[in-house]
Amino acid sequence: MSPHLRKTLVVAGHGMVGHRFVQAAVERGLTETYDLVVVGDEPRAAYDRVALTSFFEVGADELSFLPTGRYDDPRVRLVTGTEVEGFDPETQTVLLSGGEVIPYDELVLATGAAPFVPPIPGHDLDGCFVYRTIEDLEAIREAARTATVGAVIGGGLLGLEAANALAQLGLQTHVVEMAPRLMAVQVDDAGGATLTRHIEQLGLTVHTGAATERVLGEERVTGLALKDTGPIDAEIVVFSAGIRPRDKLARGAGLELAERGGVLVDERCRTSDEHVWAIGECAAPGGRMYGLVAPGYAMAEVVVDALLGGPGSFTGADMSTKLKLMGVDVASFGDAFAVTEGALELVFSDAVAGVYKKLVVSGDGRQLLGGILVGDASAYGVLRPMVASGIELPDNPEELILPTGRGAAGVGLPDEAQVCSCNDVTKAQIVAAAAAGTTTRAGSTCGSCKAQTKKIIEDYFVSQGKVVDTSLCEHFALTRQELFDVVAVHGYTRFDDIVEAHGTGRGCDVCKPAIASILATQLNGHVLEGGTRTLQDTNDAYLANIQRNGTYSVVPRIAGGEITPEGLIVIGEVAKEFDLYTKITGGQRIDLLGARMEQLPAIWRRLVDAGFESGHAYGKSLRTVKSCVGSTWCRYGVQDSTALAIELEHRYRGLRSPHKIKAGVSGCARECAEARSKDFGVIATEKGWNLYVAGNGGSSPVHARLLASDLDRETLIRYIDRFLMYYVRTADRLQRTAPWVESLAGGLDRVREVVVDDALGLGSELEAAMAKHVDTYFDEWKATLDDPEKLVRFVSFVNAPDTPDPNISFTTERGQVQPAESDGPVSLGSTIPVGAPR
Amino acid sequence: MTWGVPVCRLDQIEVEGGVAALVDGAAVAIFRTHDGNVYAMSNYDPWSKASVLARGILGTRGDIPFVASPMHKQAFDLRTGQCLDDAAVRVPTYDVRVTDGMVHVGGPRQENP
Ligand code: SRM
Ligand SMILES: Cc1cc2nc3c(=O)[nH]c(=O)nc-3n(C[C@H](O)[C@H](O)[C@H](O)COP(=O)(O)OP(=O)(O)OC[C@H]3O[C@@H](n4cnc5c(N)ncnc54)[C@H](O)[C@@H]3O)c2cc1C
Ligand code: SF4
Ligand code: FES
């Protein structure tokens, strides 16, 4: 085809919907006839705005839809950081901010919406923000570094997300809502009250029925003046009082707009100009705008279809919402406010558990029309498709919202039920994809249908007689958790008994260390006891970390990073005497490297005599509890973080677990101990301690999330005891806390139920298990030195115990030893006398 | 007149464990498996270039008894020294015999590279 026969399609706006439009255009072959030019004014390519709040945790790259910044299809040109300034329907050209003029055959407006900032006095002071783009969040994060109190104006869906973000940034947070309840559009008064209680429990302050009269401050924000009540202090104010369609371009070109704003389009999303289309939040099909992504995606598909000559049309959308805010489930779907004539309401409410559930059913009780779920939205995945598909209700519809056990899980969905509303995927499509070994888009946008999707796929595999393979290795067809239970139930103490009764062969480097760890947790014995030594990875087997040349490192525990001058001197002397390389670790302690295996007992003798103990740098066990100087020294500290860190490190030291465990305690919200990058992290507040769980650094960093706030010391320790024991018992081999929490059905909410609410009644059992660990702890290095049986292993050669292995050699760098590269096995020749075996 | 070099008593090697011994100045790893067999191979792990194999975990892959290097877990067939993860890599093995509870190691095997 000669180039001039090709037509040009310009897309104004590269947000979620603009991106989906391009994807659909490429997938469905629109690019066979059109060259696409996509122009976005944000500095980066489209990203997942729905997941915007996770920017603080995962960063911009993770959110991006186009990490490379370009589409694979060469017929699509993407221009970022450039505004479409206007277009002329007469000449069919668009004008870009750089001055470029692009002629178009078709123009698609996908400019989205902008946050509405009410024109109250002071709304433009420094410290006022909106919550829409990555740049907004970067600015808020920057401002939060020096602030302690923040306020969000607007208690709707987005306002609560913003408030969540402020709280996560460590700010004391207010939510100011003009309506008498939170999320007024989605939930009723009773649901709103339940939601408010949850949010207040998390330490936020909620003001409902509160109109903001002005933002206080001279140049910078200092607070808010609220009508009827007194002023509140705040150094950061985020406006989240609704959105307005960005319809400026259409207005400038003289196209028709909807009464309440938005580009008026027909059911094919065509504007009043036949070559101009509008989709997403800037569009108002039939005069109504939709502030959710799913309708926008549907509009994108409709326009691609229309340009290909297809029949698609947009006839309204499901406005159901489900979100998880600060761990609180909220869902609203269908006719949530029972406006249908004759509709009945069924309500289940449990104030203690903080659960409110309402179903709206038709007058004859046969059909589900809608509902509201607060505190537990696990039934949403089943209920919402029931509304959409009109399936007949069971005889006792209240069963659908009663607490689990009898709940909704058993209700079969019809094949045509739409499971994912964001991407319009039905149950039948999910099953078909599972059968073909592919996947659908279900779950990839807001994520609220993930649990339901997973269940459908699992049910499908089970119906096919297939089991999802979760075996540990070729020797055990069990998961680590199942093995843990098997060992506990039978009271096994030896690998041989376990592999003979439940496994095949003689095990391997996967199952042996896993079983060694399980035995260590349950028996609290020495890791080198009896037959368990040969199960251990080399690090555990020699109670030290192996290094690249076969030597080991020695890391004594320095709890909380606190060390006396005498302690430092001993470490220095040991390093000097044994010629070890010393380095301050990333975990606030000191690593001594380059020890030959046969030197380890002598090194530890010196350290143990000076009061040091094993730091378990080699074990899948507690590593360090990092601390900051806290209120003892620091002018900002509000609690003694060092003392708490030391106490926690002493409490959990030696606990064998599925993977290593790291912790941190910071003395105030400035977070110098990086507690939120740890498996459990504690941050001091004026009132006590906030507990965060399931974070880590490493290759896929995850920020720990708030489990409970303002705890006193006893409660804090009780929660950590439960959390760790629950993890140790149920996590997979080499699974750290973050992926473990992720893998639990219900995620962090599940953890909170078990740890904080004690929903399973497991609390005291978990605490007792931890108490046993604490009571039976002993230093495994000291115990090794006291036991000649264990010491016999620490020899270079069985027939020449003190002859250094000739394969180990060192060079010197910056005044210390370093391993030398090896070119091949080294022989001493026959000259070295070897002892005759005794 | 004994065969090979006596290095240790059998009971000095744990079941499913290993020891290193000096045999003619070279570091040799000697292993004892659950079924009572004893094997010897060079202690030198060709992957990590460190003398460490005696400290690996023993196990089975199907019917093959193997040791996993303690460094990066590559597996070696105890009988032949063949690396089970890369056909091109093999560790020299040694003849070994147990007489009167004493482990003797002979010279490197002929088929060794
Ligand atoms: C020594 C040290 C580096 C240093 O010079 O500072 C170190 C050294 C090792 N790290 Fe580390 N890590 C050290 C701090 C860290 C940190 C920083 C921290 O703890 O604050 C991290 C990121 C935080 C985290 O873990 O969440 C870190 C993330 C890792 C990872 C990745 C974990 C993950 O979940 O992705 C590994 C690999 C693993 O464990 O599987 C690892 C593994 C290792 C091992 C054990 C690798 C090995 O098996 O040989 C290294 C040997 C330690 C030795 O011989 O003593 N190391 N490692 C630090 C010892 C801290 C201590 O006092 O115990
Ligand atoms: C914090 C947050 C949470 C949300 N959570 C949910 C949720 O859970 N579920 C849900 O369904 N929806 C949610 N939404 C709403 C959802 O993000 C939007 O519905 C969706 O992004 C709309 O897509 P869009 O492409 O129409 O607009 P946008 O994604 O805003 O994209 C429009 C793009 O066009 C650009 N643009 C505007 N004018 C011009 C111009 N003249 N020239 C060039 N470029 C221009 C804009 O800068 C923007 O990049 C959330 C939104 C936010 C902010
Ligand atoms: S985290 Fe600790 S050291 Fe940092 S400012 Fe707060 S109290 Fe001070
Ligand atoms: S419903 Fe949002 S991703 Fe499926």
Side-chain angles (χ1 to χ4, degrees):
Chain A
M1 195 191 295
S2 61
H4 61 271
L5 290 182
R6 291 182 61 80
K7 298 194 256 180
T8 302
L9 184 151
V10 174
V11 182
H14 193 235
M16 295 189 76
V17 174
H19 170 68
R20 170 54 70 88
F21 177 84
V22 176
Q23 274 186 316
V26 172
E27 273 170 27
R28 298 184 55 189
L30 196 62
T31 41
E32 298 303 323
T33 37
Y34 285 91
D35 287 323
L36 263 55
V37 183
V38 192
V39 186
D41 64 358
E42 291 191 60
R44 65 190 88 238
Y47 52 88
D48 188 354
R49 202 179 304 287
V50 168
L52 187 64
T53 301
S54 66
F55 164 74
F56 292 128
E57 288 173 18
V58 302
D61 292 347
E62 208 39 39
L63 291 182
S64 181
F65 288 141
L66 272 188
T68 59
R70 49 193 273 289
Y71 287 96
D72 290 340
D73 189 324
R75 297 161 297 191
V76 183
R77 174 180 160 215
L78 173 63
V79 187
T80 52
T82 304
E83 197 189 334
V84 175
E85 290 195 332
F87 69 93
D88 181 352
E90 288 298 311
T91 57
Q92 294 192 206
T93 50
V94 297
L95 171 65
L96 307 193
S97 54
E100 186 180 353
V101 175
I102 305 178
Y104 67 80
D105 296 287
E106 304 291 335
L107 171 63
V108 176
L109 302 175
T111 48
F116 171 65
V117 178
I120 50 173
H123 69 268
D124 47 5
L125 289 174
D126 269 0
C128 287
F129 299 94
V130 293
Y131 199 81
R132 176 86 192 178
T133 64
I134 288 180
E135 283 66 35
D136 293 336
L137 267 65
E138 280 173 340
I140 291 172
R141 179 166 64 185
E142 187 51 40
R145 286 190 213 285
T146 52
T148 51
V149 190
V152 176
I153 299 185
L157 190 153
L158 293 185
L160 293 179
E161 280 231 25
N164 180 24
L166 293 189
Q168 303 266 307
L169 288 170
L171 299 186
Q172 199 188 318
T173 304
H174 295 273
V175 180
V176 182
E177 167 59 52
M178 197 156 19
R181 61 171 183 269
L182 296 175
M183 290 186 68
V185 180
Q186 290 87 8
V187 308
D188 56 9
D189 283 337
T194 309
L195 180 58
T196 299
R197 268 198 304 279
H198 274 289
I199 290 180
E200 286 178 342
Q201 259 173 22
L202 295 171
L204 284 82
T205 315
V206 178
H207 311 259
T208 45
T212 308
E213 295 196 302
R214 61 184 308 128
V215 181
L216 303 171
E218 292 295 325
E219 245 168 53
R220 288 203 59 83
V221 172
T222 57
L224 295 178
L226 303 185
K227 194 163 175 236
D228 301 333
T229 57
I232 54 176
D233 290 340
E235 300 142 270
I236 291 183
V237 170
V238 179
F239 285 99
S240 184
I243 53 171
R244 294 288 179 269
R246 294 178 71 171
D247 52 15
K248 191 178 79 181
L249 292 176
R251 190 188 302 270
L255 303 191
E256 261 183 75
L257 302 181
E259 219 167 283
R260 280 180 289 160
V263 188
L264 190 66
V265 295
D266 62 16
E267 74 278 6
R268 314 216 60 190
C269 295
R270 198 189 290 254
T271 68
S272 52
D273 182 291
E274 71 170 314
H275 296 294
V276 183
W277 313 74
I279 56 178
E281 286 187 341
C282 67
R288 174 171 180 199
M289 85 160 284
Y290 295 84
L292 291 176
V293 71
Y297 281 178
M299 293 182 222
E301 302 279 352
V302 164
V303 173
V304 172
D305 200 58
L307 291 170
L308 288 168
S313 66
F314 180 85
T315 51
D318 181 4
M319 295 303 282
S320 302
T321 352
K322 177 186 167 201
L323 73 163
K324 184 165 299 207
L325 276 168
M326 301 169 256
V328 188
D329 273 347
V330 185
S332 163
F333 53 98
D335 179 10
F337 292 95
V339 295
T340 310
E341 174 103 20
L344 302 173
E345 297 189 355
L346 298 170
V347 172
F348 168 82
S349 162
D350 178 347
V352 180
V355 175
Y356 171 81
K357 303 184 195 180
K358 180 176 88 173
L359 291 187
V360 178
V361 301
S362 59
D364 59 6
R366 306 299 279 277
Q367 281 204 340
L368 182 63
L369 301 175
I372 294 172
L373 306 168
V374 178
D376 169 14
S378 50
Y380 176 80
V382 166
L383 296 177
R384 195 194 48 75
M386 284 178 85
V387 174
S389 65
I391 154 182
E392 187 148 323
L393 279 174
D395 281 346
N396 302 311
E398 68 280 2
E399 299 258 311
L400 293 171
I401 47 171
L402 289 177
T404 41
R406 293 166 295 163
V411 180
L413 285 176
D415 284 349
E416 65 281 8
Q418 187 199 48
V419 174
C420 175
S421 60
C422 288
N423 299 290
D424 187 18
V425 184
T426 62
K427 178 178 168 187
Q429 288 168 322
I430 294 172
V431 169
T438 59
T439 53
T440 63
R441 280 204 179 114
S444 62
T445 307
C446 74
S448 69
C449 61
K450 260 190 201 164
Q452 185 68 20
T453 305
K454 180 165 169 244
K455 175 105 181 40
I456 290 173
I457 295 173
E458 280 172 7
D459 286 355
Y460 167 75
F461 281 120
V462 170
S463 76
Q464 298 299 299
K466 286 189 196 145
V467 213
V468 191
D469 188 11
T470 49
S471 318
L472 196 60
C473 62
E474 73 170 75
H475 307 102
F476 286 96
L478 301 170
T479 62
R480 177 184 180 277
Q481 180 180 357
E482 289 163 343
L483 254 181
F484 192 100
D485 294 340
V486 162
V487 173
V489 169
H490 294 269
Y492 291 127
T493 58
R494 285 159 24 99
F495 174 81
D496 286 3
D497 300 335
I498 303 171
V499 76
E500 270 155 33
H502 302 276
T504 57
R506 285 304 306 169
C508 63
D509 49 309
V510 172
C511 57
K512 282 183 167 176
I515 287 177
S517 159
I518 291 172
L519 289 173
T521 313
Q522 295 190 5
L523 305 176
N524 294 306
H526 196 292
V527 294
L528 302 186
E529 213 61 78
T532 53
R533 199 200 72 91
T534 55
L535 308 178
Q536 305 287 1
D537 267 326
T538 186
N539 283 0
D540 272 303
Y542 291 95
L543 305 174
N545 296 54
I546 198 164
Q547 306 296 321
R548 59 185 319 125
N549 61 349
T551 61
Y552 287 85
S553 74
V554 169
V555 188
R557 184 166 302 291
I558 300 181
E562 186 184 86
I563 185 163
T564 60
E566 290 74 23
L568 277 174
I569 288 167
V570 171
I571 290 184
E573 284 172 356
V574 170
K576 235 171 140 175
E577 184 176 326
F578 294 89
D579 202 9
L580 303 173
Y581 170 90
T582 48
K583 180 176 182 301
I584 308 292
T585 71
Q588 293 191 335
R589 46 192 190 171
I590 301 171
D591 202 347
L592 306 171
L593 298 105
R596 297 170 188 274
M597 186 240 278
E598 65 273 19
Q599 294 178 310
L600 289 171
I603 292 172
W604 274 106
R605 182 84 267 160
R606 286 286 311 277
L607 291 170
V608 166
D609 286 348
F612 284 103
E613 62 175 21
S614 168
H616 298 103
Y618 47 82
K620 298 291 175 246
S621 56
L622 181 82
R623 292 287 164 84
T624 62
V625 182
K626 186 167 173 173
S627 80
C628 73
V629 286
S631 59
T632 322
W633 290 94
C634 176
R635 64 198 162 124
Y636 295 114
V638 291
Q639 307 279 352
D640 188 350
S641 47
T642 317
L644 183 71
I646 294 171
E647 180 180 358
L648 295 177
E649 184 156 343
H650 284 151
R651 186 169 181 80
Y652 303 120
R653 62 188 167 185
L655 177 69
R656 287 304 203 273
S657 50
H659 206 312
K660 58 188 168 198
I661 299 171
K662 297 184 178 182
V665 183
S666 281
C668 82
R670 284 167 190 75
E671 245 285 72
C672 299
E674 301 176 304
R676 286 199 59 211
S677 66
K678 305 297 181 199
D679 296 282
F680 67 91
V682 181
I683 301 178
T685 68
E686 300 277 348
K687 293 183 227 147
W689 306 97
N690 283 354
L691 174 59
Y692 295 80
V693 294
N696 58 251
S699 52
S700 0
V702 184
H703 268 153
R705 287 180 290 160
L706 185 67
L707 187 72
S709 26
D710 294 328
L711 304 172
D712 58 40
R713 185 188 143 282
E714 284 72 33
T715 314
L716 173 77
I717 289 178
R718 185 160 67 237
Y719 287 177
I720 302 175
D721 282 1
R722 292 177 178 178
F723 172 76
L724 289 179
M725 268 302 164
Y726 184 34
Y727 164 65
V728 167
R729 290 191 169 192
T730 60
D732 227 332
R733 187 184 86 89
L734 297 185
Q735 186 177 43
R736 283 189 76 176
T737 51
W740 166 68
V741 169
E742 191 65 26
S743 74
L744 293 174
L748 187 66
D749 289 346
R750 183 63 177 164
V751 174
R752 192 175 287 114
E753 280 167 24
V754 172
V755 169
V756 178
D757 310 333
D758 196 7
L760 298 184
L762 270 179
S764 50
E765 189 184 325
L766 297 174
E767 286 162 44
M770 188 61 83
K772 181 173 168 211
H773 163 76
V774 175
D775 290 345
T776 52
Y777 169 82
F778 56 89
D779 173 24
E780 54 201 29
W781 256 113
K782 179 166 188 319
T784 303
L785 296 175
D786 293 346
D787 182 354
E789 286 251 312
K790 298 195 173 75
L791 286 177
V792 294
R793 300 287 148 212
F794 292 87
V795 292
S796 53
F797 297 107
V798 66
N799 56 348
D802 299 318
T803 306
D805 189 323
N807 290 288
I808 298 175
S809 58
F810 297 96
T811 56
T812 303
E813 201 64 52
R814 295 184 298 281
Q816 299 201 71
V817 294
Q818 278 189 5
E821 275 303 321
S822 150
D823 323 313
V826 177
S827 174
L828 289 172
S830 313
T831 51
I832 297 284
V834 293
R838 281 152 292 136
Chain B
M1 181 56 218
T2 51
W3 176 92
V5 184
V7 290
C8 64
R9 295 189 319 275
L10 180 61
D11 63 20
Q12 284 178 279
I13 314 177
E14 287 166 289
V15 176
E16 293 192 334
V19 297
L22 266 186
V23 177
D24 285 338
V28 174
I30 304 155
F31 302 102
R32 176 177 174 190
T33 54
H34 189 257
D35 54 18
N37 284 323
V38 178
Y39 302 95
M41 64 170 77
S42 166
N43 198 40
Y44 190 82
D45 171 11
W47 293 98
S48 64
K49 300 185 188 261
S51 177
V52 293
L53 289 180
R55 298 173 227 164
I57 290 179
L58 300 196
T60 52
R61 271 200 199 171
D63 294 332
I64 305 173
F66 76 94
V67 58
S69 165
M71 205 65 93
H72 298 126
K73 305 256 177 171
Q74 285 86 2
F76 299 92
D77 187 332
L78 291 175
R79 302 165 305 185
T80 61
Q82 177 61 51
C83 177
L84 300 177
D85 303 314
D86 185 340
V89 178
R90 194 196 244 221
V91 173
T93 50
Y94 290 75
D95 279 324
V96 58
R97 286 185 199 167
V98 182
T99 327
D100 295 335
M102 192 62 71
V103 179
H104 300 257
V105 176
R109 287 207 185 125
Q110 282 318 306
E111 76 271 29
N112 283 325

